[in-house]
Each structure stands twice: as C-alpha cells, then as structure tokens.
Amino acid sequence: MAGNRILLLAVGFVFYLILQVVFLKNVVVFGTAFCFLYVLFILLLPIEIKTIPIMLIAFAMGIGVDIFYDTIGIHTASLVGMAFIRNTWLKTLTPTGGYDENLNPSLLNMGLGWYVSYSLPLILVHHTLFFFIESLGTNLFLPVVQKIIGSVIFVFIMSIIVQLLFYRRRRGI
Amino acid sequence: MQSILLFLYRIRVFLIFVFLETIAIYLIVSNNSQQGAVFFNSSNRLSGSVLSTQNNIIEYFSLSSVNKSLVDKNAELLSELEKYRQTKDGLVFDIDSSLVTGFQFRGAKVINNSINLSQNFITLNKGAKHGVKEGMGVFNEEGVVGRIKGVTENYASVISLLHTELLVSSKIVSNEVFGSTKWDGRNPKFAKLLYVPRHVVVKEGDQVVTSGYNAIFPEGIPIGTVVEVKPGPETNYLDITIELGTDFTKLSYVYLVENNAVEEINLLNEPKEDTDGRQ
C-alpha cells in the first residue's frame, strides 16, 4: 500500500515537472502572467507528510524546474520557502473535527472556500519570493508587482481547472 | 549536552529549511557571474536533449518566417558580393596581415529562449565540439542577440541582450558617438543607450550599431533605432530609448562570431581586468 502511494507520488512528480518545462514554460499571458503550475504538486501532497520530506521534494522539484528555466536556485529557494510554511498553514486551517486520514488537501476534498484560503496565500508567498529574487539588482517595482498579481491569479485559476479535470474525490492523482 | 541536542532536534525542520535555502542562494550567487560553469542549467546533456527535441517539433510552425528572413539576408549578401566581384582587367594583391579582420562566423539554432524574466538566457544547439567558446558574440540578421556565457560539449548557454546585466558597446551611426546598450527589464522590444553625454544631438530614428570596441562583435552589427531622447535623471547623460532590431519572440537561427585577436587584445588590457564585455 505504502509502496503504491510512493510510486503514485513519483509519477506525479515527473508528470508535473515535464508538464512545466515542456508545455508551460512558454505560456506567459500578456508578458506578465506566468504559469508556474508545478506549485500545485507541492500544495496537493497528502496532509500527513511531514515538513522535512516536503521540503526535500520541493528542493528536487525546484532544481528540476530551474535547470530548464536557466534561473538556477530561484525556483528552488521560493519553492522550499513555500514548502516550509505549508504544514503550519494547514494546521492553522484545520476544520472542526480535524482532517481525515490520507487526504489530499484539494479543491474536491475540502470545498472551494477552504481551498481558496489554503492555496492563495501559499501561491502568493511562492510567487512573491520568486519574482523578488529574480528582479534583485534591478530597480523595477511596478512591473514586478504586476507579474506577481497576474501570475497568482493565472496559476490559481489553472490549478482549479486542472483539479476539476484530472483529479477524483478522495485520493488519486 | 543532551538538552542542546534535544533543542537542535526540536528545531530540525527549521535547520533543514535554512540548509536548503543556503544551497539555493549559493547556486543563485554562483550563477550570477558573467561567465562560468554551466552544469546546472539548460545546456547540460539531459535538459539539452529534451529542449532540442521539443524545438524540433515547434520549429515547423516558424519555418515560413525563418525562410523569409534567410532570403532577405541572402539578397543583402548577394548585393554586397557584387561589390567585390573582380573585373576582368583588375589587379589583386594581398593586403598586409595586420589589416585582415580576424572574425570567424558560425551558425547555430536556438533551442530554448525566454524573454519575460529580468535575466533571460538562450540555449543553442552547438557546443565546445563545434568550436563554440565562452565570450563569443551572438547575433542574427536583425541584430545583436547576446553573448556566450558557457559551453558544454553539445550545447551553449547565451546571456541574452534581454539580461539586465549585459552591456553591449555601441555607437550611434549618424554622429559616431559611443555608448552602452543595456536592457532595463521592462519591455523586450526596447532597451536603453547609456553614457551618451548631454551635449550630443541625438535624433529619433538614428541607427545604433555595435562599436567594435569590446572585441566581441565586429563593428557595425545593428542593434536598433532611437525612439525617444530625454534628459536623463543623471545630470551628465541623456536618457535614450532604442527599439531593438532583433525580435526576441521569434528567435530561431543565430550566428556566432569569434574574434581571433581577442586574446591579444585582452593581453593589452590585462591591468584593467574585466574590460572584456563591459566596454
């Protein structure tokens, strides 16, 4: 059973990485809204995974994306940052009665309201870190804020669409 | 002792977080040099082959525009060639070797490109095996594209002109005034021409080309045209915006230029290190 789930996670990891670097790399709406859909993989990891494994997974994912984006370290730093606060944020949002076991904190499992308050701040943290580090050394402020807001909205909408299309209730990828 | 270990164990999550972030920041900083090792980026073997496969598929969609620009370039070169054709009653003799320009050109294909970040890189499908070296200039028929940052055996990584740290030594054609072209990170169609003094008269529509002073590009490769001239925030220089000739959204084939005399020139500049590439 456990082996089965690890295999599923590994497949999901590779799937998101390939999706990101092959298909979504050049998807940039109006030159401001980037599609960093790979954060969804970290967001939807099962609830009972501890923070350390999540950070290690995020690190590997970040390096993988960075290699293709030629932004070595930037995706990694921001994704690890997001992974670090993920579980704390999950704990804060615990619904009355607690989480069920082996649950993905996804839109279908938890409902839209909960999902918005869970994912939006985390995506915002990731994107703020990313665009902030990326634009260090330049004195651009407005374009960066524009990119952050545009990308957060875009990724959030994409994440909802992907979950509605490809995820089932309860578990599975 | 035990309580210290216990304490460390309790904050282990934070420690690992700091550890991972330190690695990431180390990678960011070490990648920031203008030239250097390129293992961890898109020019390594695995990602290079993925990107070139992807590009082989996407390439078909841009074939017609690529063909058109190649035909244009051919026509231009043919008319250029006409000038050098020997007349029957002409006389030819070799010029002195010091007057021979030492530039070598190669072609390459872009397999990976980005334009929307503030530090953009391009990956080419030629590497050390094909004679590509660090520091070579990259351009296409429309204008300057960038400079080679590092090479692996089969691929090369290029600092795009759309990188906020790359300066290209350039001059305005009409009045031969020198400056440096630098991208400001806003719009991939426009860049800034820096260090042009206030007393110089610059008109909109003036051509900007490479100056040939930094030993990377030969003189006269187009960069763009001036679209806006303002008195800059600094008292001494004008704030000039130029429209780049190169359309970075449609980059497909590029030329690499190598200056055979670059080592000799760098030797002359030795005391001032770093002159290469920063005009």
Side-chain angles (χ1 to χ4, degrees), chain A residues 84-96:
Chain A
F84 177 60
I85 58 169
R86 188 197 102 127
N87 275 10
T88 321
W89 188 235
L90 266 177
K91 212 172 281 170
T92 318
L93 290 176
T94 311
T96 42

Side-chain angles (χ1 to χ4, degrees), chain B residues 246-264:
Chain B
T246 316
D247 185 355
F248 282 89
T249 55
K250 288 189 200 144
L251 230 45
S252 52
Y253 285 86
V254 293
Y255 306 105
L256 302 170
V257 54
E258 179 182 13
N259 188 349
N260 291 334
V262 73
E263 276 166 28
E264 207 173 326

Side-chain angles (χ1 to χ4, degrees), chain A:
Chain A
M1 190 59 204
N4 201 2
R5 296 194 58 202
I6 289 171
L7 189 72
L8 208 63
L9 281 184
V11 170
F13 181 89
V14 174
F15 172 77
Y16 271 102
L17 192 59
I18 290 176
L19 180 76
Q20 183 65 42
V21 299
V22 176
F23 297 102
L24 298 178
K25 181 171 183 298
N26 295 318
V27 177
V28 181
V29 181
F30 306 127
T32 54
F34 289 72
C35 192
F36 297 142
L37 199 64
Y38 66 95
V39 298
L40 186 62
F41 177 71
I42 303 296
L43 285 179
L44 295 190
L45 285 173
I47 287 170
E48 76 273 12
I49 299 187
K50 295 273 184 294
T51 307
I52 292 176
I54 288 180
M55 285 197 297
L56 293 174
I57 295 171
F59 186 79
M61 180 67 110
I63 290 274
V65 174
D66 268 332
I67 286 175
F68 285 86
Y69 271 73
D70 278 316
T71 53
I72 192 66
I74 305 181
H75 283 285
T76 315
S78 42
L79 198 62
V80 169
M82 193 194 87
F84 177 60
I85 58 169
R86 188 197 102 127
N87 275 10
T88 321
W89 188 235
L90 266 177
K91 212 172 281 170
T92 318
L93 290 176
T94 311
T96 42
Y99 295 106
D100 295 352
E101 264 178 55
N102 293 341
L103 197 69
N104 292 336
S106 71
L107 173 68
L108 298 172
N109 290 337
M110 307 300 295
L112 183 67
W114 187 89
Y115 179 73
V116 170
S117 54
Y118 165 63
S119 68
L120 218 47
L122 288 179
I123 297 177
L124 185 67
V125 165
H126 171 266
H127 283 41
T128 311
L129 281 173
F130 176 80
F131 287 111
F132 176 70
I133 300 173
E134 200 265 335
S135 66
L136 275 185
T138 64
N139 48 357
L140 306 166
F141 180 71
L142 219 60
V144 171
V145 174
Q146 232 174 34
K147 278 180 186 174
I148 293 172
I149 295 173
S151 308
V152 168
I153 295 170
F154 188 41
V155 169
F156 180 70
I157 293 171
M158 283 298 284
S159 76
I160 288 183
I161 293 172
V162 166
Q163 288 181 66
L164 289 179
L165 289 180
F166 301 110
Y167 279 78
R168 277 170 288 141
R169 268 179 85 86
R170 298 296 295 177
R171 67 185 69 125
I173 101 160

Side-chain angles (χ1 to χ4, degrees), chain B residues 107-142:
Chain B
K109 196 171 90 181
V110 172
I111 58 170
N112 180 30
N113 183 18
S114 72
I115 57 167
N116 293 303
L117 300 171
S118 64
Q119 305 191 330
N120 295 297
F121 291 91
I122 297 167
T123 313
L124 303 179
N125 72 339
K126 294 273 170 74
K129 208 164 71 180
H130 311 96
V132 179
K133 296 191 191 80
E134 280 174 19
M136 284 168 80
V138 183
F139 65 98
N140 70 0
E141 66 282 347
E142 295 170 321

Side-chain angles (χ1 to χ4, degrees), chain B:
Chain B
M1 186 64 203
Q2 204 186 357
S3 60
I4 292 176
L5 287 177
L6 215 63
F7 174 70
L8 288 179
Y9 182 73
R10 209 173 308 140
I11 61 162
R12 65 194 184 282
V13 172
F14 182 72
L15 288 179
I16 288 183
F17 169 69
V18 170
F19 175 66
L20 292 178
E21 288 287 357
T22 313
I23 297 178
I25 290 166
Y26 170 74
L27 287 173
I28 295 171
V29 172
S30 64
N31 188 50
N32 239 339
S33 60
Q34 293 263 319
Q35 290 181 9
V38 287
F39 177 71
F40 269 131
N41 70 13
S42 59
S43 58
N44 74 49
R45 183 179 303 199
L46 177 72
S47 54
S49 62
V50 171
L51 288 168
S52 55
T53 316
Q54 182 200 14
N55 184 263
N56 277 338
I57 299 164
I58 295 175
E59 194 185 21
Y60 289 99
F61 299 104
S62 60
L63 270 187
S64 66
S65 68
V66 170
N67 271 340
K68 191 179 169 307
S69 60
L70 285 179
V71 167
D72 287 350
K73 186 69 183 175
N74 264 343
E76 191 192 317
L77 290 176
L78 278 175
S79 64
E80 189 95 333
L81 189 65
E82 200 62 31
K83 276 193 253 171
Y84 300 106
R85 191 149 288 161
Q86 271 181 51
T87 48
K88 278 217 173 91
D89 49 356
L91 176 67
V92 177
F93 50 88
D94 295 331
I95 52 173
D96 187 87
S97 67
S98 65
L99 295 173
V100 176
T101 53
F103 287 105
Q104 261 184 19
F105 298 91
R106 290 183 175 83
K109 196 171 90 181
V110 172
I111 58 170
N112 180 30
N113 183 18
S114 72
I115 57 167
N116 293 303
L117 300 171
S118 64
Q119 305 191 330
N120 295 297
F121 291 91
I122 297 167
T123 313
L124 303 179
N125 72 339
K126 294 273 170 74
K129 208 164 71 180
H130 311 96
V132 179
K133 296 191 191 80
E134 280 174 19
M136 284 168 80
V138 183
F139 65 98
N140 70 0
E141 66 282 347
E142 295 170 321
V144 168
V145 171
R147 189 161 69 95
I148 302 277
K149 174 186 163 77
V151 290
T152 54
E153 207 183 326
N154 292 303
Y155 301 97
S157 164
V158 179
I159 306 177
S160 170
L161 186 59
L162 303 182
H163 184 296
T164 49
E165 315 247 310
L166 185 72
L167 287 163
V168 176
S169 174
S170 39
K171 71 174 181 193
I172 300 167
V173 176
S174 62
N175 50 17
E176 300 269 312
V177 174
F178 294 98
S180 287
T181 303
K182 186 175 183 240
W183 191 51
D184 59 357
R186 288 168 201 274
N187 188 331
K189 286 199 180 80
F190 300 98
K192 294 281 182 195
L193 184 59
L194 308 176
Y195 311 128
V196 174
R198 277 221 167 166
H199 62 81
V200 176
V201 180
V202 183
K203 290 189 295 293
E204 287 172 20
D206 279 352
Q207 294 287 323
V208 179
V209 299
T210 55
S211 69
Y213 272 18
N214 59 5
I216 294 173
F217 290 104
E219 197 181 335
I221 291 181
I223 295 175
T225 48
V226 175
V227 287
E228 194 183 11
V229 184
K230 281 190 299 197
E234 292 166 69
T235 45
N236 294 332
Y237 301 115
L238 289 169
D239 180 17
I240 302 175
T241 307
I242 59 178
E243 183 175 7
L244 295 172
T246 316
D247 185 355
F248 282 89
T249 55
K250 288 189 200 144
L251 230 45
S252 52
Y253 285 86
V254 293
Y255 306 105
L256 302 170
V257 54
E258 179 182 13
N259 188 349
N260 291 334
V262 73
E263 276 166 28
E264 207 173 326
I265 293 171
N266 281 349
L267 210 64
L268 280 174
N269 294 335
E270 199 81 308
K272 285 184 290 170
E273 284 290 329
D274 243 16
T275 31
D276 169 85
R278 310 197 175 182
Q279 84 143 317

